[in-house]
């Protein structure tokens, strides 16, 4: 069965950015009709399902938005848009106030000022940040929420985006949404590469395994210009649980040490990628494993750590207690993760202007899918959502309501009829193994050369993409898994082209091109791409001021 | 990974709605929740927190250092109480006051 809906605005993805955009847009004009579509339930969907334990993008006392911009550009080794960062940074403290008003607990001192964890962070209780945002959205009469509906592609009219379509994750219902303006806010991509653990713990990863790059893939297929996908994000994480390490580094000042007990980080620098490179290098030099030095912290500090991790990554607290290897008595082993594609931490994503307009008309991007603007974190995603909401509200009247679009559901139906020799899982592993081995995955210490990248491209096409067309779906959940695989494949192919195009090594912790092992100032530019009929064309763009 | 105590489950379906990975489904004529594949659990504990009868717990797999301890959550407006039941039966409660920010 097909169902059709029309509205003013479609928000794809009810996460941090999507929900905040709906809130701001409704505040600006409560007459605007909004649809939010999420493949899970907006109360716990996306990367903040378990919570978040600090707001990590904030302008602290005695600092300016410009300081934040400079910090982010330095951390990205120059590859970021000053203009995009500036528009975000200006709003960080404002959106912090807004989310506090919505109900987020933020620690304040006796004078009512936020208590800072560092000059860029404030302390919160963020376990319930998603339910808080979801409740705020549910109170809005102009917003209609579609939970458990997975969007697969945009509706296009020439260069214009006029909605999107997809399917219910539960029943055989296919949905078409025709609108004036669309915000893509589906998050980044995990699972393109082989994850940290095989088999039983394959989803014990940091970024959500359910963020599969849908937004990037839809944009790529529709011919949107994408930027900096080659700036993959490798996170430094607690071994086994893959829980964040920032709370240990910033909360108790834990320094990195190797298995000989040596402090080594000063030899490598202190950007995000350099911190990862430090661990990879120490491991390769025979000084593995590496740790964050927590031995000697107080009982009170240990209790605070337990609470902090319960609010974002409960597995870590359970591990400390269950194994009796508590942080007071045992240093915390650290490791790098699989490479993720995520515009909230790096500059990977849609190429957007200051108003977060993509290169496709009436399509906006915010949060982890939007490129050029790294170090966004939660508040940066809010800031981008606000920018989008304000622009949409300002321009909506100029857009004519498009006629309702139909779509061919046989694209979905055929997977129920297919007879495949392979399972979805087998092809997923084939993709992840190829990317890991030939495109600089975790087991290769993030290293690759051009010949390997060419092999990766061939294998992805022959071994996985062609076969994925024949996969069989027994139910709607299988259909979801098939589309998630296809999204990752679409992103993987363009990612390989971006990795090939950057003939230098810019962020050694994230990616080392062994043919070009050094930084090359000739690559002080953005690597962008547009894909047409499956062919990706690379475009070099100036960094701008 | 999560595990569901089928004797405790009342089939209310709250976990099925909340799982960000669409991993849970009702089976046995809609009286009991099942996880389609525990290997696909992210460990976010959304289902653990929302289950009204504490039928769902989170456990660490053996390859992550787990030995069978169970993590439950008791959620209320002002407090989130986490309960760890170790293999020898020892219970440890960790109370997080929702009105207070984390110290770290």
């Amino acid at each position: 069965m097909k169902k059709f809906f029309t509205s003013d605005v479609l928000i794809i993805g009810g996460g941090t950015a999507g929900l905040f955009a709906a809130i701001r847009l409704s505040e600006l004009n409560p007459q605007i009709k909004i649809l939010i579509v999420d493949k899970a339930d907006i109360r716990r969907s996306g990367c903040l399902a378990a919570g978040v334990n600090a707001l990590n993008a904030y302008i602290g006392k005695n600092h300016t938005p410009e300081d934040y911009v400079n910090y982010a550009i330095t951390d990205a080794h120059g590859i970021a848009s000053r203009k995009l960062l500036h528009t975000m940074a200006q709003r960080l403290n404002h959106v912090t106030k807004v989310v506090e008003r919505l109900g987020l607990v933020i620690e304040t001192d006796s004078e009512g000022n936020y208590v800072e964890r560092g000059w860029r962070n404030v302390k919160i209780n963020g376990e319930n940040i998603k339910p808080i945002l979801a409740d705020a959205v549910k109170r809005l009469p102009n917003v209609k929420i579609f939970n458990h509906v997975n969007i697969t592609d945009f509706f296009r009219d020439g260069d214009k985006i006029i909605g999107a379509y997809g399917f219910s994750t539960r029943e055989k219902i296919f949905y078409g949404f025709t609108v004036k303006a669309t915000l893509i806010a589906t998050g980044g991509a995990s699972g393109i590469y082989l994850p940290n653990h095989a088999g039983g713990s394959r989803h014990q990863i940091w970024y959500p395994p359910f963020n599969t790059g849908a937004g990037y893939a839809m944009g790529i297929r529709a011919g949107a210009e994408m930027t900096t996908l080659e700036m993959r994000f490798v996170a430094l994480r607690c071994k086994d649980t893959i829980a964040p390490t920032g709370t240990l580094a910033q909360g108790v000042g834990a320094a990195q040490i190797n298995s000989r007990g040596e402090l080594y980080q000063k030899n490598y620098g202190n950007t995000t990628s350099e911190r990862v490179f430090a661990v990879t290098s120490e491991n390769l030099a025979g000084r593995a494993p590496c740790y964050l030095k927590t031995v000697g912290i107080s009982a009170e500090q240990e209790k605070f750590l337990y609470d902090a991790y319960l609010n974002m990554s409960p597995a870590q607290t359970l591990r400390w207690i269950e194994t009796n290897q508590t942080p007071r008595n045992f240093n915390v082993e650290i490791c790098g993760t699989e490479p993720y594609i995520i515009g909230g931490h790096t500059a990977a994503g849609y190429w957007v202007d200051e108003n977060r307009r993509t290169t496709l008309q009436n399509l906006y991007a915010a949060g982890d899918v939007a490129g050029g603007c790294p170090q966004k974190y939660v508040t940066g995603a809010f800031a981008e959502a606000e920018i989008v909401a304000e622009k949409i509200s300002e321009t909506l009247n100029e857009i004519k309501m498009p006629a309702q679009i139909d779509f061919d559901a046989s694209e979905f139906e055929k997977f129920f009829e297919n007879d495949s020799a392979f399972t979805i899982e087998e092809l997923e592993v084939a993709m992840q193994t190829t990317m890991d081995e030939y495109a600089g995955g975790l087991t290769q210490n993030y290293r690759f050369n051009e010949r390997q990248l060419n092999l990766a491209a061939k294998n992805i096409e022959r071994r996985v993409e062609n076969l994925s067309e024949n996969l069989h779906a027994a139910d709607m959940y299988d259909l979801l898994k098939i589309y998630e695989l296809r999204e990752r494949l679409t992103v993987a192919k363009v990612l390989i082209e971006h990795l090939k195009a950057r003939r230098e090594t810019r962020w050694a912790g994230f990616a080392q091109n062994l043919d070009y092992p050094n930084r090359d100032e000739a690559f002080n530019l953005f690597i962008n791409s547009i894909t047409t009929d499956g062919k990706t064309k690379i475009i070099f763009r100036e960094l701008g001021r | 990974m999560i595990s569901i105590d089928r004797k405790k489950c009342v089939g209310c379906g709250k976990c099925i709605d909340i799982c960000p990975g669409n991993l849970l489904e009702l089976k046995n004529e809609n009286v009991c929740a099942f996880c389609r594949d525990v290997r696909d659990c992210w460990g976010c504990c959304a289902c653990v927190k929302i289950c009204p009868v504490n039928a769902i717990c989170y456990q660490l797999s053996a390859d992550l250092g787990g030995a069978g301890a169970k993590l439950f959550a008791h959620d209320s407006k002002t407090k989130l109480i986490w309960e760890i039941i170790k293999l020898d039966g020892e219970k440890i409660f960790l109370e997080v006051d929702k009105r207070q920010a984390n110290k770290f």
Side-chain angles (χ1 to χ4, degrees):
Chain A
M1 184 184 26
K2 285 197 269 190
K3 285 189 179 176
F4 296 95
F5 295 87
T6 54
S7 188
D8 293 318
V9 179
L10 172 65
I11 296 176
I12 308 172
T16 316
L19 296 185
F20 207 79
I23 292 165
R24 180 67 181 142
L25 202 46
S26 306
E27 189 179 76
L28 289 164
N29 183 352
Q31 304 305 317
I32 294 178
K33 295 269 179 274
I34 304 168
L35 308 175
I36 298 177
V37 185
D38 196 292
K39 73 173 171 184
D41 185 309
I42 61 166
R43 288 172 298 166
R44 290 285 181 187
S45 57
C47 60
L48 302 186
V52 59
N53 98 307
L55 295 181
N56 287 317
Y58 183 80
I59 315 298
K61 280 190 290 285
N62 309 321
H63 284 273
T64 64
E66 208 48 38
D67 293 338
Y68 197 89
V69 173
N70 290 331
Y71 151 72
I73 288 177
T74 304
D75 200 78
H77 295 225
I79 310 300
S81 161
R82 183 167 285 278
K83 141 189 112 174
L84 293 181
L85 281 166
H86 197 75
T87 51
M88 170 191 78
Q90 282 175 321
R91 291 171 183 259
L92 291 173
N93 292 15
H94 161 70
V95 295
T96 303
K97 276 271 173 244
V98 174
V99 73
E100 185 185 29
R101 272 206 303 274
L102 293 176
L104 185 75
V105 170
I106 306 181
E107 190 166 328
T108 49
D109 61 20
S110 54
E111 286 165 16
N113 298 313
Y114 293 146
V115 175
E116 297 171 13
R117 191 171 88 161
W119 75 263
R120 301 185 302 269
N121 328 69
V122 291
K123 296 178 180 180
I124 63 169
N125 188 319
E127 184 279 325
N128 55 357
I129 191 165
K130 269 315 296 283
I132 285 171
L133 292 169
D135 286 348
V137 167
K138 282 184 196 168
R139 287 194 293 266
L140 302 169
N142 56 318
V143 176
K144 188 168 166 62
I145 300 158
F146 292 83
N147 285 323
H148 304 286
V149 173
N150 184 54
I151 296 291
T152 59
D153 269 300
F154 294 122
F155 284 141
R156 289 155 69 185
D157 176 11
D159 273 349
K160 254 188 236 149
I161 296 300
I162 51 173
Y165 66 102
F167 55 85
S168 159
T169 62
R170 301 176 153 186
E171 323 157 81
K172 228 180 201 178
I173 301 174
F174 307 107
Y175 288 89
F177 303 98
T178 307
V179 294
K180 292 181 183 172
T182 303
L183 167 61
I184 184 84
T186 47
S190 66
I192 291 174
Y193 285 84
L194 211 55
N196 283 72
H197 308 281
S201 300
R202 64 191 182 190
H203 276 183
Q204 191 73 42
I205 61 181
W206 165 67
Y207 199 60
F210 319 118
N211 281 20
T212 54
Y216 301 135
M218 289 163 63
I220 289 166
R221 282 194 296 270
E225 185 167 336
M226 309 301 286
T227 188
T228 323
L229 295 186
E230 78 283 3
M231 188 179 179
R232 313 173 307 176
F233 183 59
V234 176
L236 193 63
R237 289 296 175 256
C238 302
K239 178 86 169 44
D240 295 334
T241 58
I242 318 299
T245 49
T247 303
L248 291 165
Q250 294 187 317
V252 300
Q256 290 188 22
I257 54 167
N258 62 28
S259 60
R260 296 178 185 170
E262 298 157 343
L263 293 160
Y264 55 79
Q265 206 197 310
K266 59 182 184 304
N267 306 332
Y268 299 96
N270 196 28
T271 64
T272 306
S273 65
E274 285 166 345
R275 288 195 295 271
V276 178
F277 185 62
V279 172
T280 308
S281 303
E282 288 297 304
N283 290 350
L284 287 171
R287 295 188 286 271
C290 294
Y291 300 91
L292 283 174
K293 191 171 181 291
T294 53
V295 168
I297 62 170
S298 70
E300 190 186 37
Q301 284 177 308
E302 185 169 272
K303 167 75 175 103
F304 291 156
L305 284 179
Y306 289 170
D307 289 356
Y309 277 90
L310 284 170
N311 272 0
M312 62 174 168
S313 194
Q316 183 60 32
T317 302
L318 177 62
R319 193 184 185 283
W320 275 322
I321 291 174
E322 173 168 24
T323 59
N324 224 4
Q325 298 190 355
T326 66
R328 284 177 73 191
N329 301 309
F330 289 84
N331 293 324
V332 177
E333 195 178 329
I334 50 176
C335 65
T337 63
E338 76 188 62
Y340 306 112
I341 309 299
I342 165 177
H345 285 256
T346 75
Y350 279 85
W351 182 244
V352 292
D353 70 5
E354 298 99 297
N355 292 307
R356 272 56 179 181
R357 282 186 295 207
T358 70
T359 54
L360 302 175
Q361 239 181 319
N362 302 335
L363 177 68
Y364 296 77
D368 283 344
V369 289
C373 186
Q375 307 292 341
K376 257 174 244 183
Y377 300 99
V378 174
T379 37
F382 288 156
E384 290 196 326
E386 266 206 355
I387 294 169
V388 169
E390 288 168 18
K391 196 67 195 171
I392 289 181
S393 157
E394 193 185 306
T395 54
L396 203 62
N397 280 341
E398 303 159 16
I399 305 170
K400 218 177 103 209
M401 185 66 211
Q404 189 181 287
I405 300 282
D406 196 4
F407 60 99
D408 185 3
S410 66
E411 172 195 333
F412 304 123
E413 297 273 12
K414 74 163 199 190
F415 289 103
F416 298 109
E417 313 300 326
N418 275 350
D419 187 16
S420 172
F422 301 101
T423 64
I424 304 163
E425 182 180 339
E426 282 164 344
L427 293 193
E428 184 178 285
V429 171
M431 168 191 64
Q432 291 176 337
T433 308
T434 285
M435 292 303 288
D436 179 73
E437 289 175 349
Y438 294 133
L442 171 61
T443 71
Q444 305 301 308
N445 297 297
Y446 316 114
R447 296 165 167 188
F448 52 83
N449 64 41
E450 225 163 72
R451 277 87 58 215
Q452 288 177 302
L453 292 177
N454 288 333
L455 279 171
K458 269 190 198 138
N459 283 0
I460 287 291
E461 196 169 321
R462 285 189 200 154
R463 291 193 186 171
V464 196
E465 200 180 30
N466 296 347
L467 297 174
S468 72
E469 288 299 318
N470 299 320
L471 282 169
H472 172 71
D475 54 21
M476 297 310 280
Y477 179 71
D478 279 352
L479 193 64
L480 175 67
K481 297 292 283 182
I482 290 171
Y483 272 82
E484 288 179 341
L485 173 68
R486 287 156 53 98
E487 286 152 8
R488 286 172 163 136
L489 286 168
T490 303
V491 179
K493 282 174 66 180
V494 182
L495 165 62
I496 291 167
E497 296 308 313
H498 276 249
L499 288 169
K500 276 165 70 176
R502 187 169 284 285
R503 294 182 166 176
E504 64 155 354
T505 294
R506 174 77 46 161
W507 316 278
F510 297 161
Q512 276 181 277
N513 185 334
L514 296 178
D515 291 326
Y516 308 95
N518 301 312
R519 175 168 161 156
D520 180 350
E521 301 309 320
F523 282 91
N524 283 340
L525 41 76
F526 286 112
I527 290 173
N528 288 9
S529 66
I530 294 178
T531 302
T532 320
D533 298 327
K535 290 263 174 281
T536 298
K537 187 180 153 221
I538 293 291
I539 304 158
F540 297 106
R541 296 228 184 258
E542 285 179 19
L543 289 174
R545 280 183 291 166
Chain B
M1 61 179 182
I2 55 151
S3 91
I4 303 171
D5 185 337
R6 317 231 188 280
K7 288 196 252 8
K8 281 196 203 165
C9 176
V10 293
C12 69
K14 287 187 174 173
C15 59
I16 284 124
D17 288 337
I18 206 75
C19 174
N22 289 289
L23 293 175
L24 299 160
E25 57 182 338
L26 279 177
K27 272 194 185 169
N28 294 2
E29 289 169 7
N30 293 345
V31 294
C32 197
F34 279 76
C35 185
R36 295 175 202 273
D37 192 337
V38 288
R39 296 176 303 166
D40 287 336
C41 172
W42 184 32
C44 73
C45 292
C47 60
V48 172
K49 291 171 196 166
I50 208 167
C51 178
V53 293
N54 289 117
I56 311 180
C57 69
Y58 175 79
Q59 294 182 290
L60 284 175
S61 309
D63 60 339
L64 306 181
K70 294 176 173 179
L71 177 68
F72 291 94
H74 307 277
D75 201 2
S76 70
K77 224 176 166 62
T78 55
K79 275 186 288 193
L80 183 57
I81 301 170
W82 296 85
E83 178 184 9
I84 297 173
I85 304 178
K86 287 191 172 179
L87 215 53
D88 61 6
E90 186 194 352
K91 288 185 179 180
I92 295 163
F93 291 92
L94 296 156
E95 189 177 310
V96 182
D97 186 337
K98 291 183 172 181
R99 296 161 299 183
Q100 297 287 323
N102 290 145
K103 291 294 167 226
F104 297 146

